Amino acid sequence: MYRTIFFDLDGTLTDSKEGILNCLRYAFERMGKPAPPESTLIKFIGPPLQDSFMRFCGFTEEQAIQGIEMFRERYAPIGKFENAAAPGMAELCARLKERGYVLALASSKPEEMCVPICEKFGFAPSMETITGSPPVGDWEKADVIWETMRRLGLTEADKPSILMVGDRKFDVLGARECGIDCVGVEFFDYAAPGELAEAGAVAVVRTAEELEQFILSH
């Protein structure tokens, strides 16, 4: 049975679309480049920013790093709070903690930004640890998961009892790389149709209630 639950942040615990898109447009403007259409910008929600700048915009590594700097220039003071808790998720986390589950955040977003977001939207009290990327550079999802396990003192033997919860294939693939299961959530439809199942999610749910039912029955 699952006893330890790792949560992604953007698109899973919160709907971060407004802040991320506003900060991306700001970054492109600061770099003197036209912003891609919204259909492209939405793809930035979930994976590491550097990867997205290079994959979706053809940026070099150097340009991508500059893009991240410009993005964070607005995101740190303003964009991170242009956000909203996913319906029912703060309450779900509180109930799971009361039942004895160990909860943790595992996000590729910089940790220094994850902490105030979790505090503002009511997730922090339920989390045993809040893990994100270091200040410089975005970690891959597997890096974040390994670090979360390390902080909680979890070993190879604990893997069958750990569940990752995320909204993009990067969460599923990162969890698989670390040898743990991942359930996909489609709260805001940021993933392409079928993306989560095709990546190997053990289940795909659309509401906090469905997620709770899955966790309690497995």
Side-chain angles (χ1 to χ4, degrees):
M1 293 183 66
Y2 301 124
R3 300 307 304 169
T4 304
I5 316 296
F6 294 172
F7 290 93
D8 177 45
L9 184 57
D10 292 341
T12 301
L13 293 183
T14 66
D15 182 4
S16 52
K17 176 181 174 181
E18 179 184 358
I20 289 177
L21 266 57
N22 286 344
C23 293
L24 284 171
R25 293 184 177 113
Y26 173 86
F28 283 106
E29 182 179 352
R30 291 277 281 114
M31 295 177 72
K33 296 181 178 295
E38 184 167 311
S39 59
T40 298
L41 295 180
I42 287 175
K43 296 177 182 178
F44 279 69
I45 302 174
L49 280 174
Q50 181 171 322
D51 177 74
S52 294
F53 274 121
M54 296 173 71
R55 179 178 301 183
F56 304 128
C57 304
F59 278 20
T60 63
E61 183 175 347
E62 183 178 350
Q63 288 174 318
I65 291 171
Q66 183 185 6
I68 292 171
E69 291 175 355
M70 297 299 97
F71 176 93
R72 292 178 179 169
E73 189 172 87
R74 185 185 186 279
Y75 192 85
I78 302 171
K80 67 175 180 279
F81 294 133
E82 293 174 327
N83 205 344
M89 288 301 287
E91 296 81 2
L92 168 58
C93 288
R95 288 195 297 272
L96 290 174
K97 183 177 181 180
E98 288 176 5
R99 285 177 171 267
Y101 288 86
V102 175
L103 310 185
L105 187 85
S107 170
S108 56
K109 183 187 293 294
E111 189 168 311
E112 62 189 13
M113 297 182 188
C114 293
V115 172
I117 293 172
C118 287
E119 290 173 345
K120 178 177 175 62
F121 295 107
F123 296 106
S126 299
M127 300 294 167
E128 190 70 21
T129 185
I130 295 174
T131 307
S133 292
V136 179
D138 288 335
W139 279 359
E140 296 294 332
K141 197 67 184 197
D143 299 319
V144 178
I145 292 172
W146 285 124
E147 173 61 15
T148 307
M149 290 178 62
R150 186 194 68 78
R151 293 185 187 185
L152 295 177
L154 299 172
T155 66
E156 193 80 18
D158 296 304
K159 287 182 178 180
S161 67
I162 304 172
L163 179 69
M164 180 73 212
V165 180
D167 71 309
R168 296 298 308 278
K169 66 181 179 182
F170 307 96
D171 301 302
V172 183
L173 298 175
R176 180 192 290 178
E177 186 176 337
C178 295
I180 66 174
D181 289 343
C182 180
V183 60
V185 299
E186 294 182 332
F187 298 158
F188 308 109
D189 293 323
Y190 292 146
E195 175 183 308
L196 293 163
E198 290 169 9
V202 294
V204 179
V205 301
R206 295 196 62 83
T207 66
E209 291 75 20
E210 288 182 15
L211 176 61
E212 182 171 21
Q213 184 177 29
F214 177 83
I215 292 172
L216 296 182
S217 62
H218 291 80

